[in-house]
Structure formats: structure tokens, C-alpha cells
Amino acid sequence: MTTPAKPLQQPPLLLESSFFQHLEVIAEKTPAPDGMQRSYQMGFNAGLAANQTDPLQYRVDIGVTGFAAENAWAPYRFQINVVGFFRLPEERTDAQKLLLLTGAAMLYGSAREMLTLVTGRYIWGPYVLPTVSPIVFLDAAEQQKVIMQKK
């Protein structure tokens, strides 16, 4: 039994396009030494830019890096930068927060999928980025002071 179709509601944020600006994965040549823990240290960055000619279009940039934590081993070192172009259906007072939480989460999902796919062809098998709160991207943008204001 199917439920009646309902019209789709307009989402608060539309992803128009995205691309990988940088994707680098380096596999360790040797396995972990006996007894060494497998653990990653992760880094995140994010930026936001407004389109000066289209007040409803924005660019969100995220970066994710991963490498072995101190006194640990990790099969891969990686750096991923993803860029997305987003459109708001209408002007919002919370646009920056929406873009750096929801927009960055969409791009992180792409990065997660791509890294899993690429490392699946490497010697140590697929690596899946951990699930993270999108707040890491909002915090990163605020710390880096790369949130751009509209003029």
C-alpha cells in the first residue's frame, strides 16, 4: 500500500553544484608495528563567501585532513577540500549559520563518500571518515575569521 503523494516543500538551502578542489591520499608503506594503536588526528576548516552580484548565492569551502595521532599508526594521510555553491530561496538573517552547518554537512558527506571510494582501492582497504557534528565547520570558520559579510 502506498501513501498519497505530497508536494515537496522548498528546502531552506539548495546545493547547486560542488566539486573537489583537492584530494590527496597517501598510504603507509608498512603495517602498524606490533601493539601500536590505530588512531587518527583530524583537522577541519571552512569558509564562506557571498556572491556579490547574486544576494542569494553563496560558496562554502570545507577542508578535512587526517593523519596518525601521536604515538599511533594510521593507514592513510589525507587532505580533502570540497567547494559547494548554494542558493537560498529567500534572504535569511541566519544564512551564515545555515550554510556553515547544513551546507558544510552536505559537502562533508561527499568527502566521506569519496575517501571511502578511493581508499577502497588502496592496500589497507576503505577508510570511512567518522561522523562529526557540523558544528566543527562553523567553529573552524569562526576561528579562521573567513566568514565573509555581504556588502
Side-chain angles (χ1 to χ4, degrees):
M1 184 169 141
T2 61
T3 58
K6 295 181 182 179
L8 292 176
Q9 291 192 7
Q10 181 75 27
L13 182 62
L14 303 168
L15 174 61
E16 292 184 326
S17 64
S18 65
F19 65 92
F20 285 81
Q21 183 180 31
H22 185 89
L23 175 61
E24 180 178 23
V25 181
I26 300 168
E28 290 299 324
K29 292 180 182 177
T30 58
D34 288 341
M36 183 164 277
Q37 180 182 354
R38 179 177 174 165
S39 179
Y40 275 94
Q41 182 171 332
M42 305 289 291
F44 302 94
N45 61 56
L48 174 64
N51 182 329
Q52 297 302 313
T53 60
D54 183 346
L56 298 177
Q57 187 183 52
Y58 292 82
R59 186 188 79 224
V60 176
D61 303 86
I62 68 160
V64 182
T65 58
F67 48 91
E70 191 172 334
N71 298 320
W73 180 86
Y76 306 110
R77 288 175 279 146
F78 55 86
Q79 179 180 351
I80 305 168
N81 296 91
V82 187
V83 176
F85 292 94
F86 293 88
R87 177 166 302 282
L88 299 174
E90 60 190 14
E91 292 213 27
R92 299 175 58 124
T93 56
D94 65 342
Q96 291 182 359
K97 186 174 183 181
L98 176 67
L99 287 154
L100 287 166
L101 290 174
T102 306
M106 290 179 191
L107 298 177
Y108 185 74
S110 294
R112 192 170 194 245
E113 179 182 22
M114 182 63 81
L115 186 62
T116 304
L117 178 71
V118 169
T119 56
R121 302 292 292 177
Y122 278 60
I123 187 170
W124 307 115
Y127 174 72
V128 180
L129 285 171
T131 302
V132 298
S133 169
I135 290 173
V136 300
F137 296 108
L138 181 62
D139 291 346
E142 289 174 350
Q143 287 176 355
Q144 297 163 326
K145 298 180 179 20
V146 290
I147 296 177
M148 303 184 94
Q149 302 293 327
K150 285 189 176 187
K151 292 181 180 178

